[in-house]
Amino acid sequence: MDRKTKIIIISLVVVLLLTFVGAAGVAFWFMNKPPAAPPDPNQEPENQTKVVMSAAVMGNVSDEKNHGHILRILPEFWLNADHDDFENIVLLLPEEESLVRTAIIEVIRSYTFDMVNSQDAIERLSIDIKDTINELYDTTAIYKVAFHEFTVQ
């Protein structure tokens, strides 16, 4: 073999080796790359709207002595306007308010007087109502429930 042929063969071998090493490095990097963090379900969407109920909802709660008390709330539903179910839910919440009120009363009645007077009562009740109404309509369009009024008597 002459000198040019040896240089060409050596150059090809070096290029092939570098290609294999580079491909192995890229494959190793992709295999060991940490998985992407799942989206935060509590992150507020960019496009949002709220639907406020037309009247307060009242429900009975009992204390440890079985005395009756009343919880009165006026909830508002925060909806993700980019969600596929948005158009449907934004119309159904006011139209079917009596169904929504009944579901909320059931959530309230599952609480005790001590639970609604606890430090985290508003947050817990908000999450439970959100989950209940989302389940009622088989959606995740409601991402937050807030209260205009929250009174325990």
Side-chain angles (χ1 to χ4, degrees), residues 5 19 22 37 57 76 85 95 99-100 102 153:
T5 308
T19 302
V57 179
E76 65 182 23
D85 296 334
E95 282 179 12
L99 184 63
V100 172
T102 301
Q153 296 179 338

Side-chain angles (χ1 to χ4, degrees), residues 17-31:
L17 284 174
L18 288 175
T19 302
F20 287 128
V21 169
V26 168
F28 181 76
W29 182 76
F30 276 113
M31 291 171 137

